[in-house]
Amino acid sequence: MSLHRLLIAGVIGPELARWKAAGQAPVFWWRDDDARRPSPALDRLLALSIRLDAPITIAAVPDGDIAALAKACAAVPGAELAIHGFRHENRAPAGRPSGEVNDQDRLADVMSELGAAMEVFRRAGVTPRLFVPPWNSAHPTLKQALGRQGLALSCYGQMRCAEAPGRLDAHLDVMRWKPRPRFRGAVRFLLRARRLLAERRLMGAWDQPLGLLTHHLDHDESAWRFLEAFLPVARPVARMSLDEPTLQASSARMTLRAG
Ligand SMILES: [Zn+2]
């Protein structure tokens, strides 16, 4: 047994046993950020998704042609492409947290940026349904624009709530970012996972999804190896299967048409 498997069993095993005793299993989903085009790291990510039967949502930056990326993802069962910002450009005023949309931006301009991003997806044959803002920064003006376009939002750390039914966040980042990107470390990652799992169990929030977050272009070898050990335990489901019925009026319409 690998060290990662031992740590997974030791740190979250008892918590998972409590879920099982209650007749429940946690719901995981998987988001990977910062794709633009195929690369050896993307190949490795997609191969992992196929081999471990772990559907993935890939947040892609629409600042160029994403057709090759879309083609690579189309061959992967359950893979979905989400819009990752406009140009992944930090436009926050000095001293403020990084973000692409700021207080000076007018809704009309954000709508036009969003329209252009959606057009990049459509040209690649993809209908976008989810928006992942760079640096997980959801400015109110951006939220307004997403609402008008019927796009759901994915940031980091929040639980699902009635006020934002379509929002589906990631919660467990395999990476640490400062001072440089590297694997977060198995124990650090697993302690956070254990805390979030226990929180959900104690609230009886059994269906609250837990989002795994990866960045394939930044993974070191430890991050890849940990993923190989963690994914078979998490057994993530496709993001689309977690769509809230209230938000997905369009899928209801599709069902009606299909009926
Ligand atoms: Zn990013």
Side-chain angles (χ1 to χ4, degrees):
M1 205 187 226
S2 76
L3 176 62
H4 284 153
R5 286 200 172 79
L6 282 171
L7 286 170
I8 290 166
V11 179
I12 63 168
E15 178 59 33
L16 291 175
R18 287 183 200 109
W19 282 67
K20 202 172 175 190
Q24 304 287 345
V27 179
F28 284 91
W29 75 287
W30 180 13
R31 190 184 102 202
D32 182 275
D33 288 0
D34 294 350
R36 283 186 167 92
R37 59 190 70 86
S39 65
L42 184 84
D43 289 347
R44 188 167 182 180
L45 184 82
L46 298 181
L48 200 60
S49 169
I50 293 171
R51 180 158 60 82
L52 300 178
D53 192 18
I56 188 168
T57 296
I58 296 179
V61 185
D63 59 354
D65 182 4
I66 61 159
L69 177 67
K71 194 175 170 215
C73 292
V76 180
E80 176 192 27
L81 278 175
I83 307 178
H84 192 32
F86 307 137
R87 278 169 289 278
H88 211 294
E89 175 187 26
N90 180 20
R91 297 179 57 253
R96 300 289 305 277
S98 300
E100 203 164 34
V101 176
N102 65 41
D103 292 345
Q104 273 70 54
D105 293 329
R106 295 179 312 147
L107 178 61
D109 296 330
V110 176
M111 286 295 294
S112 131
E113 293 275 23
L114 185 58
M118 293 174 79
E119 189 51 35
V120 168
F121 271 60
R122 289 202 197 96
R123 272 202 302 272
V126 179
T127 305
R129 306 195 187 286
L130 183 74
F131 189 96
V132 178
W135 302 282
N136 296 294
S137 158
H139 192 278
T141 310
L142 174 65
K143 284 186 181 172
Q144 217 181 332
L146 295 177
R148 291 201 180 181
Q149 288 290 5
L151 286 167
L153 172 68
S154 180
C155 296
Y156 191 76
Q158 280 191 23
M159 281 201 195
R160 275 205 146 164
C161 62
E163 291 76 54
R167 179 163 172 174
L168 179 62
D169 279 8
H171 307 87
L172 294 165
D173 191 345
V174 298
M175 303 295 287
R176 291 176 79 176
W177 295 96
K178 287 173 183 166
R180 62 187 162 75
R182 64 200 190 283
F183 177 45
R184 176 170 293 266
V187 172
R188 199 181 278 260
F189 176 97
L190 290 166
L191 286 175
R192 177 170 167 84
R194 184 171 76 182
R195 182 166 65 74
L196 298 181
L197 283 165
E199 199 174 84
R200 282 157 176 73
R201 174 174 54 79
L202 293 169
M203 289 169 68
W206 306 107
D207 297 334
Q208 270 287 343
L210 273 161
L212 171 67
L213 179 61
T214 62
H215 283 77
H216 65 281
L217 293 169
D218 293 297
H219 291 174
D220 50 25
E221 200 51 36
S222 310
W224 285 115
R225 290 223 198 88
F226 180 77
L227 268 182
E228 291 202 13
F230 186 71
L231 285 169
V233 176
R235 302 205 294 139
V237 298
R239 206 270 318 169
M240 290 89 92
S241 69
L242 299 171
D243 273 355
E244 291 278 320
T246 43
L247 180 91
Q248 295 305 320
S250 56
S251 65
R253 280 198 298 276
M254 275 167 61
T255 311
L256 279 174
R257 271 206 302 273

